[in-house]
Amino acid sequence: MLALVLLVLSLCNFHTLVGSLNDEGFALMSFKQAIQDDPEGSMNNWNSSDENPCSWNGITCKDQKVVSVSIPKKKLNGFLSPSLGSLYELRHVNLRSNKLYGSLPSQLFEAQGLQSLVLFGNFFSGPLPSEIGKLNYLQNLDLSENFFNGSLPESLIQCKRMRLLTLSYNNFTGSLPRGFGINLVSLEKLDLSHNNFSGPIPSDLGKLANLQGTADLSHNLFTGSIPPSLGNLPEKVYIDLTYNNLSGPIPQNGALINRGPTAFIGNPGLCGPPLKEPCSDSEASSPSSYPYLPSNYPPQGPGDNGEGGRSQGLRKSAVIGIIVGDVIGICIVGLLFSYCYSRFCACGKRKDDSGYGFEKGGRRRRDCLCFRKDESETLSEHVEQYDLVALDPQVAFDLDELLKASAFVLGKSGIGIVYKVVLEDGLTLAVRRLGEGGSQRFKEFQTEVEAIGKLRHPNIVTLRAYYWSVDEKLLIYDFIPNGNLSAAMHGKPGITTFTPLSWSVRLKVMKGTARGLAYLHEYSPKKYVHGDLKPSNILLGQNMEPKISDFGLGRLANIAGGSPTLQSNRMTSEKPQQKQGNTPSEVATVASGASFGSCYQAPEAMKVVKPSQKWDVYSFGVILLEMITGRCPVVQVGTSEMDIVHWIQLCIDEKKPLSDVLDPYLAQDADKEEEMIAVLKIAMACINTSPERRPSMRHVLDTLERLPASSD
């Protein structure tokens, strides 16, 4: 009998201890039990002996009710317990950048007051439950960078207060729910990129009048024509439709007008401006190209041809005659100028005895009879050949000062020699000499170099001036003092000691390089491609800020003549430690320029002649791998070698621990491991063998910018 009494008393005691925690606390303890690994101890103070969970890490209460569960970036490994759905006052859930997996439990959406659900950067999979339609107050849904699949439930459009919808980098399929644009009119941000959405783009997307920034539908499988109604979106909205299966003419109205080709590339069936692919007559006359004109719109004036009308324009034969006459006239004028130039303007030149061997001939051009000072010409046309041409109004030196300056060779290659030049006033420049070819393609060279000279960005080396003569072509840049990224990562040839870069500096270099590339791809006047990005072409400024160099160098070298193509330099496989001296690619302090160049080359670059921006994305991904692993672009594996891309894939296949992948020098930044994992994910996306599946540099930059600014 005594033993029975003691047992009853002990059970009562246990119930009293456990019963001290309220129901919401029990729900959160169930959430904790579903977490298999909490390496940072973020839930260590979650104790069942507390009366309520309001003092627990990551928990926020209002009136003793849980309103927020926020545990981001804590390396939590496990699945999401359905018990969170019993927190009826829950408003915010933020579990981003953890290692949570499994599907979303439908019970989660029983918390119908939920306003924000942020789960990006985990390993969730499966479809989005249809119960999400119960969340009438949901404003922010971010499920990006997971493995969700299936189609979006029709019930999603019932979340009419939604302001931010981000589903990028998943495996969603199917069409967008009917009524998407009509119902979700409060949307301010829409990112559906890098999924497998298919079907036509809903025409009612044009009703999303509150959108800001980018409406991103890129890298999907959308088909059909572009709805003209998209032009109704706010004009400041950038509409990204790249890499889908869209076809037909691009509507020319509203927000779709004056968009560059980068908003539409990757859709082989699209035609019309701003693309170079013209539309056929049947496509061009399609009513979809002119959304505000009915198909039977009457002629616009007496010059138009309607049924029963007569053309008032010139006949076809007359137009052809005029064109032929113009061509003949232009040819005659060209021949006259050519004769005049060869007869009177063959300006001589003389060699200079300076250490450069540069040629002076700038003043002798003034004796030419064909080009007088009073002729109306642009600056560069007036300068013509044999003069130093300033591309920046702040350039105050002339050719004589440049030739008298102290000069030191920084490096040599097939593309020429790079000098460090110090003028008498102390100004330091980098001068690249493009060989001694005798090509006379001056106008072509002039056009290219002046276009490059207009580029101004803090993460791109600035071209200040150039010089051309028959046997001498010079490019004058800013001098960048801290060498290049290759030397900073692996040391310089012949020097055994160096200080590895900290994680904060590496992240700063990554972000700055991404900004420079995004500028070249999206915001520069001609939407350029670098084509030869590698660590030796990323220079480091006074404060270790990155500056992309050698942009356009290959084409300039080919035009100048006497130099191998840049492509051939990229295919060399010489090891850095075997290199004699420094390489020239720096336009500053240079090391190991063409070494392992092919490792940074996108696989398709060997087959496709025309460079693509996705080449640069691939190269950038390889550079990211190099920076987070500390490995050279070719990795020694046993007695064999493999490039770093295949090596990282081998590590993933063999499920190597993260410590075997990351640079050992980064151990001191162990608290930044989550950032390193995020960068690794970005790198893996960039090195996708399919160029269509690689993100754009704008996407890459956006993702990098989400990493803490304090690391910059």
Side-chain angles (χ1 to χ4, degrees):
M1 179 65 71
L2 181 60
L4 181 61
V5 170
L6 290 173
L7 177 61
V8 171
L9 287 175
S10 64
L11 288 173
C12 290
N13 247 353
F14 177 77
H15 184 270
T16 302
L17 287 172
V18 175
S20 63
L21 187 62
N22 63 16
D23 292 340
E24 291 194 330
F26 275 118
L28 288 171
M29 289 301 291
S30 296
F31 169 80
K32 180 180 179 180
Q33 290 172 2
I35 302 300
Q36 301 166 353
D37 189 19
D38 179 14
E40 296 189 6
S42 54
M43 293 184 286
N44 281 353
N45 72 334
W46 289 30
N47 297 315
S48 58
S49 58
D50 295 334
E51 292 185 6
N52 62 62
C54 295
S55 62
W56 294 355
N57 291 338
I59 304 301
T60 303
C61 292
K62 182 178 181 181
D63 299 329
Q64 300 300 307
K65 293 291 184 180
V66 176
V67 296
S68 174
V69 177
S70 181
I71 316 177
K73 301 176 62 178
K74 296 299 182 181
K75 306 178 185 177
L76 300 180
N77 189 341
F79 60 92
L80 189 60
S81 171
S83 63
L84 289 184
S86 64
L87 304 174
Y88 296 113
E89 297 298 322
L90 189 61
R91 297 291 180 266
H92 305 282
V93 173
N94 182 2
L95 300 172
R96 68 182 180 89
S97 302
N98 282 293
K99 300 178 181 179
L100 302 176
Y101 58 87
S103 59
L104 286 187
S106 59
Q107 296 90 332
L108 173 65
F109 305 108
E110 295 298 327
Q112 296 182 16
L114 200 61
Q115 298 175 9
S116 177
L117 179 60
V118 179
L119 301 176
F120 86 77
N122 282 281
F123 300 96
F124 289 112
S125 58
L128 182 61
S130 60
E131 286 79 4
I132 193 172
K134 296 179 180 179
L135 305 183
N136 295 324
Y137 298 95
L138 187 63
Q139 298 180 30
N140 182 9
L141 179 63
D142 190 344
L143 306 180
S144 58
E145 298 183 31
N146 281 281
F147 298 95
F148 288 109
N149 53 41
S151 58
L152 295 183
E154 295 285 340
S155 59
L156 181 66
I157 63 174
Q158 297 173 21
C159 305
K160 297 185 179 181
R161 289 183 171 88
M162 189 94 71
R163 295 172 56 192
L164 290 90
L165 179 60
T166 307
L167 305 177
S168 58
Y169 292 96
N170 279 286
N171 297 312
F172 285 114
T173 57
S175 303
L176 298 184
R178 186 177 303 173
F180 189 93
I182 295 175
N183 289 275
L184 303 181
V185 291
S186 298
L187 275 180
E188 296 176 4
K189 179 179 180 180
L190 176 63
D191 189 351
L192 306 179
S193 64
H194 293 271
N195 281 283
N196 293 307
F197 288 117
S198 58
I201 296 175
S203 60
D204 60 1
L205 285 189
K207 296 185 180 297
L208 301 177
N210 292 306
L211 277 185
Q212 303 172 12
T214 299
D216 202 336
L217 307 181
S218 67
H219 294 85
N220 280 287
L221 303 173
F222 288 114
T223 56
S225 60
I226 299 175
S229 57
L230 289 187
N232 297 334
L233 292 174
E235 290 195 8
K236 292 185 178 180
V237 172
Y238 182 87
I239 305 171
D240 193 341
L241 302 175
T242 55
Y243 296 101
N244 281 282
N245 293 322
L246 301 171
S247 58
I250 299 173
Q252 298 296 302
N253 64 291
L256 292 169
I257 297 179
N258 298 326
R259 297 299 179 195
T262 52
F264 306 102
I265 59 176
N267 293 279
L270 286 180
C271 62
L275 301 178
K276 295 181 179 180
E277 182 67 27
C279 295
S280 64
D281 292 341
S282 59
E283 289 174 321
S285 60
S286 171
S288 64
S289 300
Y290 309 97
Y292 303 117
L293 297 180
S295 57
N296 61 345
Y297 197 83
Q300 300 295 303
D304 291 330
N305 281 327
E307 287 186 19
R310 265 175 38 180
S311 172
Q312 302 298 315
L314 292 172
R315 288 182 298 179
K316 186 176 180 180
S317 59
V319 173
I320 293 174
I322 292 173
I323 293 174
V324 172
D326 287 343
V327 170
I328 294 173
I330 292 171
C331 291
I332 293 174
V333 172
L335 288 172
L336 288 173
F337 270 102
S338 177
Y339 172 77
C340 179
Y341 183 86
S342 62
R343 177 68 177 84
F344 299 106
C345 301
C347 301
K349 54 188 180 291
R350 59 187 175 89
K351 291 283 182 180
D352 179 68
D353 56 2
S354 69
Y356 289 95
F358 297 161
E359 297 174 7
K360 293 183 180 179
R363 293 180 176 82
R364 298 189 64 179
R365 188 195 56 79
R366 296 175 184 171
D367 297 332
C368 295
L369 303 180
C370 299
F371 305 99
R372 296 187 176 89
K373 294 181 180 180
D374 57 354
E375 290 181 358
S376 175
E377 299 164 327
T378 64
L379 172 63
S380 58
E381 287 173 340
H382 181 70
V383 171
E384 201 45 72
Q385 304 180 36
Y386 310 111
D387 275 340
L388 182 72
V389 181
L391 300 173
D392 186 331
Q394 296 181 353
V395 170
F397 57 88
D398 57 23
L399 184 61
D400 286 333
E401 292 177 84
L402 192 66
L403 295 175
K404 293 176 182 177
S406 301
F408 310 91
V409 175
L410 290 175
K412 300 179 181 180
S413 79
I415 299 182
I417 304 174
V418 180
Y419 301 90
K420 176 182 177 181
V421 178
V422 183
L423 302 183
E424 289 183 353
D425 62 1
L427 177 64
T428 305
L429 301 167
V431 178
R432 179 181 288 279
R433 182 182 182 189
L434 293 179
E436 298 181 353
S439 173
Q440 300 303 308
R441 297 158 63 187
F442 170 70
K443 287 297 183 183
E444 190 176 353
F445 182 88
Q446 178 188 55
T447 301
E448 287 288 327
V449 78
E450 293 190 358
I452 295 172
K454 292 177 181 178
L455 300 178
R456 292 290 185 272
H457 190 274
N459 297 116
I460 296 178
V461 176
T462 302
L463 179 60
R464 297 297 183 187
Y466 72 95
Y467 170 79
W468 171 287
S469 72
V470 174
D471 296 322
E472 194 72 76
K473 292 90 180 173
L474 308 176
L475 302 175
I476 297 93
Y477 297 88
D478 287 338
F479 177 78
I480 311 301
N482 275 328
N484 64 34
L485 181 59
S486 179
M489 287 296 300
H490 308 299
K492 297 179 181 180
I495 300 178
T496 57
T497 60
F498 77 105
T499 303
L501 300 178
S502 66
W503 175 249
S504 61
V505 172
R506 297 188 200 199
L507 191 56
K508 179 178 184 178
V509 173
M510 295 174 193
K511 291 182 178 182
T513 305
R515 292 186 193 110
L517 278 179
Y519 168 77
L520 286 177
H521 289 187
E522 303 282 351
Y523 308 111
S524 61
K526 294 186 178 181
K527 310 295 189 296
Y528 290 105
V529 176
H530 187 288
D532 192 46
L533 187 71
K534 51 193 174 187
S536 58
N537 289 341
I538 300 173
L539 311 184
L540 302 175
Q542 190 68 44
N543 298 312
M544 300 302 286
E545 68 279 7
K547 293 180 180 290
I548 299 172
S549 73
D550 286 7
F551 167 68
L553 183 60
R555 177 159 174 77
L556 290 176
N558 289 336
I559 295 173
S563 298
T565 64
L566 198 60
Q567 184 78 1
S568 65
N569 283 336
R570 297 179 67 191
M571 297 308 299
T572 61
S573 58
E574 187 176 8
K575 295 185 179 181
Q577 61 266 30
Q578 295 172 335
K579 198 103 171 117
Q580 297 298 319
N582 295 330
T583 72
S585 77
E586 287 215 58
V587 186
T589 308
V590 191
S592 111
S595 305
F596 300 126
S598 60
C599 296
Y600 304 98
Q601 189 176 20
E604 72 276 8
M606 294 295 294
K607 305 174 184 177
V608 181
V609 176
K610 185 177 180 182
S612 162
Q613 292 181 349
K614 293 305 178 75
W615 292 13
D616 291 346
V617 175
Y618 183 92
S619 301
F620 183 73
V622 179
I623 293 171
L624 292 186
L625 290 180
E626 198 170 338
M627 295 183 72
I628 60 180
T629 65
R631 304 270 180 163
C632 288
V634 171
V635 182
Q636 189 78 29
V637 181
T639 58
S640 61
E641 292 181 340
M642 65 174 62
D643 64 70
I644 194 170
V645 172
H646 289 91
W647 175 79
I648 197 73
Q649 291 169 343
L650 178 66
C651 291
I652 293 172
D653 292 341
E654 295 182 352
K655 298 182 179 179
K656 297 280 188 182
L658 189 63
S659 58
D660 288 358
V661 174
L662 296 181
D663 187 346
Y665 289 114
L666 295 178
Q668 60 184 350
D669 296 299
D671 59 322
K672 303 296 184 182
E673 185 177 294
E674 283 303 312
E675 294 178 14
M676 299 175 196
I677 294 173
V679 171
L680 181 58
K681 288 182 178 180
I682 296 170
M684 296 306 295
C686 290
I687 61 172
N688 196 305
T689 54
S690 171
E692 291 78 13
R693 301 303 296 173
R694 295 173 204 149
S696 66
M697 280 310 305
R698 183 167 48 81
H699 282 102
V700 172
L701 177 59
D702 288 345
T703 307
L704 283 172
E705 295 286 18
R706 294 168 88 168
L707 299 178
S710 59
S711 296
D712 246 328

